[in-house]
Amino acid sequence: MRQDHPRVAIVGTGNIARVHARALAAVAGQTGQSEQAGQSGRTGQTAPLVAVMDADERQLKSFGTEFGVRGTYRELADLLSHGRPDLVLVCTPPSSHGEVALGCLRAGVSVLVEKPPTISLREFDELAAADGGPGPPWFATVFQHRFGSGQRRLKALAASGVLGRPLVTICHTTWYRDQAYFDVPWRGRWDTEGGGPTMGHGIHQMDMLLDVLGEWTEVSAVAGTLARDMPTEDVSLAHVRFGSGAVASVVNSVLSPREETYLRFDFERATVEVTHLYGYGDDDWRVTPAPGCEDEVLAAWRDAASGTRSGHAAQFARVLAALAAGQRPPVGPAEARRTLALVAGIYASAFTGRPVTPGQLAPGTPFYGQMNGGNPAW
Ligand SMILES: NC(=O)c1ccc[n+]([C@@H]2O[C@H](COP(=O)([O-])OP(=O)(O)OC[C@H]3O[C@@H](n4cnc5c(N)ncnc54)[C@H](O)[C@@H]3O)[C@@H](O)[C@H]2O)c1
């Protein structure tokens, strides 16, 4: 069913919800009207924010006032019945994603869930089972760095064969978060966030890695809590093997005063790198062809789509376009599960001291039910 004018709601009106509201407004501004502005649509789909819900009255009121949203609710059932959304953006802390998203899907409402989609593979599979298949209600995950033109160019060129086989990859999330950041009650705990920086920060970059390289086959990892006072890791390092034969080196740290996000893909015919922090533009990418491949590689890179920064607006534009076309949006269950499974694999390997394959994370195994496999700490 095509939805040119979807009614969008947000559950959880904290920090990231504000990024969502602004990104929605930016996309709606490009494509048509905003409900609050009451103007007539110009072209394509529009995305008015019709309702919000938060368990905390103060948060709810301040968000409603800031963004001019009339429908404010304390209960999910009220949001769904009175707000009548077509799409709910789930922006609550991670441990409630599963319950909120399931409530929406069971009411026939599609959901776009912030990362991490759930705090365990078990919860994730419950959600995937409630997904309506090809039609709504569907569930998708926010991984906004898939949607900048640099990543889309890289993915397209890799798929076209112009870069040759992928061989060696580096995926570094070396960020800095002080103790106060982890003093927020839900952060850095197994039961509320499902992990530390592997689950909460590096997951974005690992998702970019898998978006290009596809199925991972084995991971070996170490992790530890070196400097912050919290039960989860504050750093993890992993080696990952892929079905293609490619290998990757992954670092997830919140202990790195000079912050940087760095991904490097060495293919047979070129190195492609991106260096940025929290979001990239075209200028953050660098392509170095192998000797003899210069003309073909650089021409292919130059001719591919450009001009889109990574970020929520880039993903929302794709989501709204998919709704308008009556299609599922990108980052459906299979893709998000692969990324979540790599996070689970890193924890499983770090806790057990052995390499882990996706098969070892099957239902009934310890790291399927909980990211820490029931272990209290490292
Ligand atoms: N994609 C990104 O780059 C990015 C960046 C930051 C955060 N996030 C993710 O966004 C999510 C929220 O993070 P945040 O920093 O905005 O958190 P936050 O603590 O600022 O806001 C969460 C809000 O949810 C409300 N809430 C809690 N439980 C609820 C429930 N069951 N029902 C309704 N409301 C509830 C809280 O009252 C609060 O207002 C997390 O999953 C986080 O990982 C993603």
Side-chain angles (χ1 to χ4, degrees):
M1 188 179 48
R2 295 171 58 96
Q3 287 176 316
D4 285 338
H5 304 282
R7 296 170 61 82
V8 182
I10 291 180
V11 175
T13 54
N15 293 321
I16 205 66
R18 288 173 160 76
V19 175
H20 281 228
R22 289 187 200 107
L24 268 181
V27 175
Q30 284 159 16
T31 55
Q33 71 178 12
S34 113
E35 187 174 75
Q36 291 94 324
Q39 297 156 349
S40 60
R42 294 196 303 273
T43 56
Q45 70 283 2
T46 60
L49 185 56
V50 295
V52 291
M53 180 245 155
D54 200 293
D56 182 305
E57 180 75 27
R58 214 165 41 85
Q59 289 275 63
L60 187 63
K61 285 273 174 307
S62 95
F63 188 96
T65 306
E66 186 176 341
F67 292 97
V69 185
R70 283 187 287 272
T72 56
Y73 303 96
R74 295 284 301 281
E75 300 290 335
L76 183 63
D78 292 337
L79 172 94
L80 295 173
S81 59
H82 302 308
R84 295 178 291 107
D86 301 303
L87 171 63
V88 170
L89 309 174
V90 181
C91 298
T92 57
S95 58
S96 52
H97 289 179
E99 189 186 340
V100 172
L102 211 50
C104 295
L105 290 170
R106 286 185 177 152
V109 177
S110 295
V111 282
L112 179 63
V113 184
E114 259 300 346
K115 64 82 197 162
T118 58
I119 61 165
S120 71
L121 289 170
R122 183 186 53 71
E123 259 194 346
F124 186 94
D125 287 348
E126 272 175 29
L127 219 48
D131 181 285
W138 43 256
F139 108 82
T141 301
V142 176
F143 279 128
Q144 72 269 22
H145 299 306
R146 284 186 179 218
F147 297 95
S149 37
Q151 173 81 359
R152 290 174 62 196
R153 275 188 207 194
L154 167 59
K155 193 173 173 183
L157 264 60
S160 76
V162 72
L163 299 175
R165 282 193 304 133
L167 300 172
V168 186
T169 311
I170 292 171
C171 176
H172 286 179
T173 303
T174 39
W175 293 1
Y176 188 83
R177 297 290 184 272
D178 63 12
Q179 187 61 45
Y181 175 88
F182 289 106
D183 290 341
V184 170
W186 62 262
R187 290 198 181 125
R189 283 174 38 190
W190 294 109
D191 60 340
T192 50
E193 193 168 13
T198 315
M199 184 70 144
H201 305 89
I203 193 169
H204 282 295
Q205 284 61 250
M206 290 186 281
D207 182 69
M208 288 173 71
L209 183 73
L210 301 187
D211 185 34
V212 177
L213 296 188
E215 300 303 320
W216 64 276
T217 55
E218 187 183 273
V219 61
S220 305
V222 294
T225 315
L226 306 187
R228 300 288 174 264
D229 179 16
M230 58 192 207
T232 65
E233 83 287 0
D234 53 22
V235 63
S236 69
L237 292 87
H239 292 157
V240 188
R241 288 185 187 281
F242 288 85
S244 64
V247 289
S249 168
V250 178
V251 177
N252 303 300
S253 160
V254 281
L255 307 178
S256 308
R258 186 181 74 74
E259 296 189 280
E260 184 174 81
T261 303
Y262 178 62
L263 285 103
R264 172 182 175 129
F265 298 83
D266 289 329
F267 289 82
E268 281 176 307
R269 310 186 75 229
T271 294
V272 182
E273 298 161 273
V274 61
T275 307
H276 72 102
L277 192 61
Y278 310 147
Y280 61 78
D282 289 343
D283 292 347
D284 297 316
W285 291 79
R286 184 158 67 147
V287 180
T288 309
C293 303
E294 293 85 351
D295 292 350
E296 200 189 345
V297 166
L298 293 178
W301 185 262
R302 209 175 34 238
D303 292 347
S306 61
T308 305
R309 277 194 73 78
S310 72
H312 286 78
Q315 180 162 3
F316 290 179
R318 294 284 301 275
V319 170
L320 297 178
L323 280 172
Q327 295 167 353
R328 288 190 68 100
V331 202
E335 291 170 85
R337 193 185 194 286
R338 186 171 64 192
T339 300
L340 193 67
L342 179 57
V343 174
I346 289 175
Y347 288 135
S349 176
F351 273 114
T352 61
R354 297 194 201 96
V356 168
T357 63
Q360 291 170 307
L361 302 168
T365 59
F367 292 90
Y368 177 80
Q370 289 171 279
M371 282 284 158
N372 64 349
N375 296 285
W378 306 105

